[in-house]
Amino acid sequence: MKILVITEQRQGKWNNTSFETLVAAQQIAAATSGAVSAAVIGKGVAPFAEELALKNVAEVMLVEHDLLESYTPDGYCVALKQVIEAAKPDLVLFPHTYQVRDFAPKLAASLGKGMIGDCVGFRSEGGKLVFVRQMFQGKTAADVTFTGAAPWFVSFQSGAFRADLLAAHPGGKASVNAAKVALNAGDIRTKPLELFKEAKSAVDLTQAPLIVAIGRGIKAPENIAQAEALAKALGAEIAASRPICDEGWLPMERQIGSSGQTVAPKLYLALGISGAIQHVVGMKGSRTIVAVNKDQNAPIFESPTMASSEISLKSCPPSPRNCTKRRRKARPPRRSVV
């Protein structure tokens, strides 16, 4: 099986979900005895292609054009259609980003194909790939397969795969090949304007390696300061479940869950969070989940790798300095319940 991953970069920065999608591609290739190629699209993106070439891929396609300097759905679709028709992959994978949601369905339709979006997993059954999508805010999951001929189009949800599992190229570096595309100004019907910028106080929790999240168990807004001090000492971002944000105790940009952000940090420390499914779908991809809750039957305990059955503000370090001392002495977490 030939697998092509369309990566995403913007304004000189990677969207890290691209690397998660590459991990998915590598795992699919291992299950199907396939080969993975990756494509970088834009203008002046050769450094990104060189970086990708260090990963375990068979080839990196460099898709450059003056009209691709700024993202437009028309420009991307026209260019990538040509790339796909030339490369003839069986499976085309995307990170499920806002940009991909904008152009990928149009791209698939231009080739007369359908698309399975926002997948959280896959498996191989009887030589056929089955993709898993969550439905009804994560309350159930659907198994979806393709019935038509290749190429097939799939996007994977942020946090569905761990980017740290991305394998390096066994030979050191893959080849980087320029993909020639024909693109005219008349093909692009929209004019790119200034990119939307969030407020300076906004935070992208999807990029945070450590997160301290608080729930109703924090009891009162004045207790948030202790959690924030803990987060600061750990070098973590502060986040919350929906009730905290609905109360206005923390801004909505800090919300984790189906109606907030989906994250996959190295460590997710959940303080006083019961673990409603709407919250869990937003953080279940975390490498290590530490849950602290006085309710031993809280749903959050179905997912953590470490847990405590009691919660008390006294359990938080009395000062960031003390927490820093403890962090220096800390060992890698074990997969156990304490």
Side-chain angles (χ1 to χ4, degrees):
M1 172 176 284
K2 293 179 64 177
I3 305 169
L4 174 62
V5 178
I6 308 298
T7 60
E8 182 177 316
Q9 57 75 35
R10 215 169 197 183
Q11 294 187 316
K13 294 182 180 180
W14 282 113
N15 185 309
N16 286 337
T17 313
S18 295
F19 299 116
E20 297 174 7
T21 307
L22 274 172
V23 172
Q26 290 179 349
Q27 293 182 10
I28 293 174
T32 60
S33 300
V36 179
S37 297
V40 184
I41 182 170
K43 179 184 177 182
V45 292
F48 291 95
E50 293 296 330
E51 183 179 349
L52 273 186
L54 300 176
K55 312 304 179 184
N56 189 14
V57 295
E59 175 191 15
V60 176
M61 300 179 187
L62 179 59
V63 187
E64 285 193 303
H65 196 283
D66 289 344
L67 294 175
L68 296 174
E69 182 175 10
S70 296
Y71 164 75
T72 61
D74 287 336
Y76 270 47
C77 285
V78 171
L80 290 174
K81 181 180 179 182
Q82 296 174 51
V83 171
I84 292 169
E85 288 176 335
K88 294 180 170 56
D90 299 299
L91 181 63
V92 184
L93 300 181
F94 305 85
H96 193 72
T97 64
Y98 289 114
Q99 182 170 288
V100 165
R101 296 180 214 185
D102 187 45
F103 80 85
K106 171 183 170 69
L107 173 61
S110 71
L111 291 164
K113 305 298 179 181
M115 178 178 176
I116 303 176
D118 203 20
C119 297
V120 296
F122 80 93
R123 66 180 183 275
S124 180
E125 284 186 355
K128 196 170 187 177
L129 286 174
V130 179
F131 296 94
V132 182
R133 293 186 73 251
Q134 291 179 334
M135 301 176 66
F136 304 110
Q137 295 188 328
K139 291 183 176 66
T140 187
D143 292 341
V144 189
T145 60
F146 289 100
T147 57
W152 305 305
F153 293 78
V154 174
S155 66
F156 280 107
Q157 185 181 111
S158 173
F161 293 85
R162 286 171 46 182
D164 62 298
L165 297 179
L166 185 59
H169 195 284
K173 188 177 180 181
S175 60
V176 177
N177 301 314
K180 295 182 179 180
V181 294
L183 190 60
N184 302 310
D187 296 326
I188 300 175
R189 299 168 297 175
T190 56
K191 180 181 179 181
L193 300 178
E194 184 179 356
L195 285 176
F196 171 77
K197 294 182 179 180
E198 296 179 334
K200 291 183 179 179
S201 60
V203 61
D204 184 5
L205 295 175
T206 64
Q207 307 302 315
L210 304 173
I211 292 177
V212 174
I214 57 176
R216 285 174 174 164
I218 203 73
K219 297 296 184 183
E222 53 267 25
N223 294 327
I224 295 178
Q226 270 189 282
E228 289 177 327
L230 174 60
K232 183 178 180 180
L234 292 172
E237 290 287 352
I238 190 76
S241 60
R242 180 170 180 171
I244 296 296
C245 296
D246 284 345
E247 290 289 339
W249 295 358
L250 283 179
M252 296 302 295
E253 67 199 40
R254 297 282 176 176
Q255 182 183 329
I256 301 295
S258 58
S259 55
Q261 297 193 50
T262 299
V263 299
K266 295 179 180 178
L267 172 65
Y268 190 88
L269 176 55
L271 303 177
I273 295 177
S274 63
I277 186 63
Q278 290 85 353
H279 182 80
V280 172
V281 296
M283 43 68 78
K284 64 182 180 62
S286 305
R287 191 186 310 180
T288 299
I289 302 169
V290 179
V292 184
N293 199 297
K294 65 181 181 181
D295 182 3
Q296 298 183 11
N297 298 317
I300 191 71
F301 288 124
E302 296 177 6
S303 57
T305 53
M306 298 182 68
S308 173
S309 61
E310 295 183 0
I311 180 170
S312 169
L313 292 176
K314 295 180 180 179
S315 65
C316 290
S319 72
R321 181 181 177 183
N322 288 347
C323 180
T324 303
K325 291 180 179 178
R326 298 180 192 183
R327 180 176 54 166
R328 290 173 180 170
K329 297 178 181 180
R331 297 181 179 179
R334 300 176 180 177
R335 297 185 64 87
S336 60
V337 175
V338 295

